[in-house]
Each structure stands twice: as C-alpha cells, then as structure tokens.
C-alpha cells in the first residue's frame, strides 16, 4: 500500500473523524474507511459498489472517461493487435511480458494440461443433452475440485501455480465438451500440435468422420476475442471470485462461482442476449420501436450490449471487435449479414439519440462479439461459455494477487437494516 499523503475529515454530530487517503498510480484517490465503524460507530452505504474500491491491485486499470483499458500498463488495442492470448495470460499472471524462452515454457506447461481426467467424461452424462452449456460449465468446473486434489491447497504456492495452469488449460476443453455434449457429437480430445485458439476450434468443430482444418484467420479472430475478454478490474464475476476465495475455498470452486455470476444477462450473459435482441429486431426499419422501448421507464427492456458501469465514453474492446467483425464476415463472405447491418444501424441511431448520449450509453464488449461468434459457427448458447473461458485467466490472476496479499481478510460486508426490531414470539392461537 502507498503511504497516506493526505486525510479526509468526516464531521458527524459535531464530532470530526480523520480518515487516511491514498493516491493511486492512476485513477481517483481513495479514502480508507477500515477503522470508521470502530472509531465513529457508523457504516458506509454503497449497494452497487459504485463508489467503493474493494481492494488494491496492479493487474488491470480502466479509465472510463477516456475509454482506456490497460493490462499491467499495456493498452488493450496494442495487446489485441500485437500479442496473443497465452502471452497475455503470462502478462496477467506474472506482471511482465515474457522472454521467448519463458513464453515457450509457459505455452508448453499449458499445452500439457489441456486434457481432462477421463472420468470427467462420465460426469457429463448426468446432464440433459439440452442443458445450457453454462450450466454444464458451472457444474464441471466446480467438480474439478473432486478430481484434482493435488492442487486445492491455497496455502501451498505450488498448488496455486498448478491450479492456475490447469484452469487456463482445461476451460477450453470443458467448454468444447459442453458444446459437443449439447449437440450429441462425440468429445474431441485436445491436440498438442495446435495453438490455444486453433485447439479450441478443433475441439468444437471437428468430427471423427473427416479431417478438420482450422482457418488461420478465424483462429486469429478467436484468439483476439479471448484477449479482449481476459480481465477487467473488479467486475461482478471477478469480485465474486475474490469474495469466494477470501474464505479460503479452493480455486476450482471459486472459479465456478465466477462462472455462475458471469452468466447473468447484465454481465457476461449480455453477448447471448444481445444477439437474440438483434435477431428479434430483425430489420433496420424496426430499430425505432426498440429504441423507444429502451427509453420507456415502464418497459424493463434494455438495449443489450449497451452501457457500462465504468465506461462513459467508449468501450475500447468494442472498437477492436467491430473491426474484427468486418474482417471475419468479409472473409466468410457474409459481410451482408443482416444482423451486422442491424447492429451498425442500431449503434448509429443510439449514438445520436439524446437519451443514450445523456446517459453515456455506448456499445460495450458484448455488442459485436456475438456477431463474430455466430459467423464462426457457434450457437448463441456458447457465447457466454467463451467469455468464461477467456476470463478465467483474469479471475485466476486476481485470485493469486489476493491470496498473496498479507492484508487479505475474509470479505464480510455489513448492512443498512430496515427490518423489525426485537419482538416476542406469538403463539399460533393468538395470531
Ligand atoms: C459486461 O463491469 C464490467 O467490467 C463488466 C464487463 C467485463 O468485462 O467484466 O465489461 C462485461 O458485463 C459488459 C456489460 C454487459 N451488459 C449489458 O450489455 C446489459 C445492458 N446494459 C445494462 O444493463 C447496464 O448498462 C449495465 C448493467 C451494463 C450497467 O448498469 P449501471 O452502471 O448499474 O447503470 P444503471 O443500470 O444504473 O443505468 C443508468 C441509466 C438508467 O436510467 P435511469 O434510471 O438513470 O433513468 O441508464 C439506463 C438505465 O435505465 N440504461 C439503459 C441501459 N443501460 C443503462 N437504458 C437502455 N439500455 C441500456 N442498455
């Protein structure tokens, strides 16, 4: 923690309380309220954590005003354009860009952990074939703690390292298995001669009946999608992983909790909800009807893929994905895709509508990702599992940072209680 450079003074009922403040390397100053309750007997109140820093971190920084996203200081557009996913994984996990030898060693370690325990194949059999792949993912990832007992002791640095590698390596295999299971096709084993993105595509789209050749442009687009979803500060699912981990729960259970949180349509589930919305809109001439609904306070409908708690200018990931969508659809000869036409027109209409401008609602990471994933051949039900496998490295990096923090305590928020005060039980005959 940095030294406290200044103080905040809180006046309550004529009494003054001084609170230390810290200045970050980037972003707003913070007020340390850890002793507030002990000193002043009051809680702070911030249900959506809109003004609360839950931890200190050195991994990812977002400037919502500028639309800037940095991973260990490197801008996301540079990483998306010049790096590849496993190198970004190394950067997030260890804090620096690896040498060629370090990168080769890391890629080899991940590659050697891509297979899952053979017994896990039978674990899938318990699910209905029409289960949503996210339901399967939550179940199977949580069950990893029943298969990999030799990497569940969070107090052992070696266990932590192996668990991190296993999760990064096996999430694509498990996500691909969830997809294959849902369409009644046999599981496809990972291959060590393929890069991370190509391996995932191969496990999803190859069948035993014929050879499958990965299109390198598609593999590059897949890898870029993984990079763009890798980490994002203390978002809802990362905060879930941190809170679950603060009790000392094993990493597989904590990542399963993060996957469960990501599933929500307000969070990672928005990519599936966005594509379903674009399909419901169907044609450009129906856009005004949906814009009106999004603005209607009495209608719960929201434009999925729009808005963000932090970005109030633009989501830098959406800019990269929009460019990638154009490239992939042109390559696949579907650049006249009606969904892309509706998405681009919807974006233009919303960006020029006073409601969305005033509320600073811009396309977020989920707005274009679904269009690319659908063009590659994934059903909408696989969009959020792909977000989850991409974000696993972010969750694990934040988990490691927290576990290594000597200040770590179990997370235990308090509340503003508005319920009944103490009262006596009433026997049923007297009610
Ligand atoms: C992700 O946190 C992260 O970093 C998340 C993420 C990551 O990488 O981890 O970036 C990934 O989750 C991206 C967000 C995906 N979700 C969606 O696209 C779902 C649609 N968006 C919204 O539900 C909403 O914008 C949120 C949840 C993303 C943000 O909500 P906030 O910050 O809590 O804002 P809010 O709900 O208080 O909305 C502020 C105002 C409200 O109007 P008023 O009550 O002030 O009149 O804006 C309106 C909202 O009604 N509004 C929208 C809207 N989003 C907000 N109106 C129409 N359409 C929308 N999409």
């Amino acid at each position: 923690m940095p030294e406290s450079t200044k103080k905040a003074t809180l006046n309550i009922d004529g009494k003054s309380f001084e609170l230390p403040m810290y200045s970050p390397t980037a972003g707003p100053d913070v007020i340390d309220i850890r002793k507030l309750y002990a000193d002043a007997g009051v809680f702070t109140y911030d249900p959506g954590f809109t003004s609360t820093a839950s931890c200190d971190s050195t991994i990812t920084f977002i400037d919502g005003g500028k639309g800037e996203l940095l991973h260990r200081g490197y801008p996301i557009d540079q990483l998306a354009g010049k790096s590849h996913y496993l190198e970004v994984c190394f950067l997030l996990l260890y804090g620096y860009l690896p040498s060629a030898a370090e990168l080769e060693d890391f890629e080899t370690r991940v590659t050697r952990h891509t297979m899952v325990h053979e017994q896990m194949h039978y674990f899938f059999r318990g699910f209905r074939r029409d289960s949503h792949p996210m339901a399967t993912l939550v179940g199977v990832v949580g069950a990893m703690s029943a298969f990999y007992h030799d990497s569940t002791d969070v107090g052992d640095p070696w266990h932590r390292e192996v668990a991190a590698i296993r999760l990064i390596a096996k999430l694509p295999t498990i996500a691909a298995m969830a997809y294959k299971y849902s369409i009644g096709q046999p599981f496809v084993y990972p291959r060590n001669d393929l890069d991370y993105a190509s391996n995932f595509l191969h496990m999803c789209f190859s069948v035993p009946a014929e050879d499958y050749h990965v299109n390198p442009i598609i593999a590059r687009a897949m890898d870029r999608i993984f990079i763009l979803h890798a980490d994002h500060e203390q978002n809802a699912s990362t905060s879930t992983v941190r809170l679950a981990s603060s009790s000392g729960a094993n990493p597989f259970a904590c990542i399963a909790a993060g996957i469960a949180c990501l599933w929500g349509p307000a969070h990672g589930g928005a990519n599936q909800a966005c594509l379903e919305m674009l399909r419901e809109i169907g044609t450009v001439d129906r856009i005004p009807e949906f814009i009106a609904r999004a603005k209607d306070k009495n209608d719960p409908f929201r434009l999925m893929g729009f808005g963000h708690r932090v970005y109030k200018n633009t989501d830098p990931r959406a800019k990269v994905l929009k460019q990638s969508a154009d490239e992939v659809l042109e390559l696949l000869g579907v650049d006249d895709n009606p969904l892309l036409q509706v998405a681009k027109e919807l974006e233009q209409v919303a960006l020029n509508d006073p409601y969305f401008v005033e509320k600073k609602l811009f396309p977020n990471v989920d707005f274009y990702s679904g269009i690319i994933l659908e063009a590659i051949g994934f059903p909408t039900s696989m969009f959020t599992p792909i977000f989850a496998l991409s974000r696993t490295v972010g969750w694990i990096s934040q988990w490691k940072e927290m576990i290594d923090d000597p200040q770590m305590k179990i997370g235990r928020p308090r509340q503003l209680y508005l319920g009944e005060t103490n009262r006596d039980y009433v026997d049923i005959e007297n009610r």
Side-chain angles (χ1 to χ4, degrees):
M1 280 293 283
E3 284 299 311
S4 172
T5 53
K6 48 189 171 183
K7 294 194 182 304
T9 303
L10 190 59
N11 296 306
I12 303 174
D13 299 336
K15 284 184 71 177
S16 288
F17 301 91
E18 285 214 331
L19 300 167
M21 293 183 70
Y22 307 112
S23 296
T25 48
D29 287 352
V30 301
I31 300 173
D32 185 342
I33 58 167
R34 284 175 289 185
K35 293 191 169 55
L36 180 63
Y37 179 55
D39 294 350
V42 296
F43 296 147
T44 58
Y45 181 66
D46 186 11
F49 308 121
T50 50
S51 304
T52 294
S54 61
C55 62
D56 55 79
S57 179
T58 62
I59 299 173
T60 291
F61 175 71
I62 299 170
D63 184 321
K66 288 187 202 164
E68 182 180 60
L69 167 57
L70 308 177
H71 289 319
R72 303 288 189 179
Y74 297 99
I76 189 63
D77 54 318
Q78 291 186 29
L79 293 172
K82 298 178 177 181
S83 186
H84 64 276
Y85 182 69
L86 281 186
E87 183 178 72
V88 173
C89 288
F90 187 103
L91 175 67
L92 289 169
L93 279 169
Y94 305 116
Y96 65 97
L97 289 173
S99 66
E102 287 170 320
L103 182 57
E104 185 183 357
D105 169 65
F106 180 72
E107 289 179 337
T108 302
R109 284 191 291 141
V110 170
T111 300
R112 294 250 175 268
H113 280 281
T114 49
M115 285 174 67
V116 295
H117 191 295
E118 193 69 5
Q119 198 65 16
M120 290 187 96
H121 288 215
Y122 303 102
F123 195 79
F124 276 83
R125 300 278 179 258
F127 293 97
R128 289 170 48 134
R129 287 280 181 174
D130 60 356
S131 304
H132 192 292
M134 281 298 280
T136 321
L137 210 59
V138 170
V140 176
V141 172
M144 286 176 77
S145 41
F147 288 89
Y148 300 106
H149 306 105
D150 62 343
S151 60
T152 53
D153 176 1
V154 298
D156 181 324
W158 186 85
H159 280 220
R160 297 204 296 268
E161 181 67 18
V162 172
I165 297 293
R166 275 176 165 153
L167 282 157
I168 293 166
K170 297 180 195 305
L171 255 290
T173 307
I174 294 169
M177 291 170 77
Y179 172 54
K180 285 301 202 185
Y181 188 73
S182 72
I183 58 175
Q185 289 187 2
F187 297 139
V188 175
Y189 288 96
R191 282 181 34 182
N192 293 353
D193 62 329
L194 296 177
D195 62 67
Y196 194 88
S198 300
N199 212 357
F200 178 63
L201 292 167
H202 178 261
M203 289 188 284
C204 288
F205 297 125
S206 75
V207 290
E210 60 188 32
D211 289 341
Y212 173 80
H213 299 289
V214 178
N215 179 322
I217 304 290
I218 300 298
R220 178 69 189 128
M222 190 81 257
D223 190 271
R224 187 175 293 170
I225 283 181
F226 292 158
I227 291 173
L228 293 167
H229 290 80
D231 191 47
H232 214 239
E233 266 192 11
Q234 306 311 320
N235 57 83
S237 53
T238 298
S239 300
T240 301
V241 170
R242 278 182 174 260
L243 193 56
S245 308
S246 71
S247 73
N250 76 72
F252 305 111
C254 296
I255 297 303
I259 295 171
C261 176
L262 185 77
W263 195 359
H267 190 13
N271 52 19
Q272 172 174 343
C274 178
L275 202 92
E276 288 164 353
M277 174 192 74
L278 292 174
R279 196 171 281 125
E280 185 186 359
I281 295 173
T283 54
V284 167
D285 62 334
R286 290 196 64 201
I287 287 176
E289 171 194 337
F290 285 84
I291 292 281
R293 284 187 58 194
K295 291 153 71 171
D296 178 355
K297 278 279 159 259
N298 300 315
D299 188 331
F301 172 79
R302 287 192 165 183
L303 281 185
M304 303 316 282
F306 270 81
H308 199 276
R309 171 62 57 78
V310 177
Y311 290 123
K312 299 306 176 189
N313 180 323
T314 178
D315 183 334
R317 302 168 296 177
K319 286 168 70 175
V320 178
L321 281 168
K322 181 177 180 180
Q323 177 197 347
S324 205
D326 282 333
E327 290 167 6
V328 169
L329 271 66
E330 186 181 352
L331 169 92
L332 296 175
V334 290
D335 46 356
D336 60 346
N337 180 323
L339 290 181
L340 182 62
Q341 307 316 322
V342 169
K344 287 187 171 180
E345 179 62 19
L346 177 62
E347 179 183 8
Q348 284 313 309
V349 170
L351 292 184
N352 293 289
D353 183 301
Y355 174 91
F356 295 93
V357 174
E358 283 155 26
K359 293 184 185 297
K360 302 185 184 305
L361 302 175
F362 296 83
N364 58 46
V365 67
D366 294 307
F367 188 65
Y368 282 104
S369 57
I371 291 169
I372 301 171
L373 294 173
E374 174 163 276
I376 293 175
F378 291 106
T380 50
S381 61
M382 277 300 290
F383 292 4
T384 310
I386 289 168
F387 192 148
L389 81 84
S390 309
R391 183 55 58 87
T392 294
V393 65
W395 290 328
I396 275 295
S397 302
Q398 301 270 351
W399 166 76
K400 281 182 70 181
E401 180 177 71
M402 189 186 82
I403 300 285
D404 290 340
D405 181 351
Q407 292 189 85
M408 189 195 88
K409 294 166 72 74
I410 188 168
R412 206 287 186 206
R414 302 302 303 273
Q415 62 181 5
L416 167 63
Y417 178 67
L418 299 174
E420 295 288 345
T421 52
N422 191 310
R423 56 179 172 166
D424 293 329
Y425 181 82
V426 178
D427 294 332
I428 194 161
E429 56 270 17
N430 299 324
R431 290 176 200 163

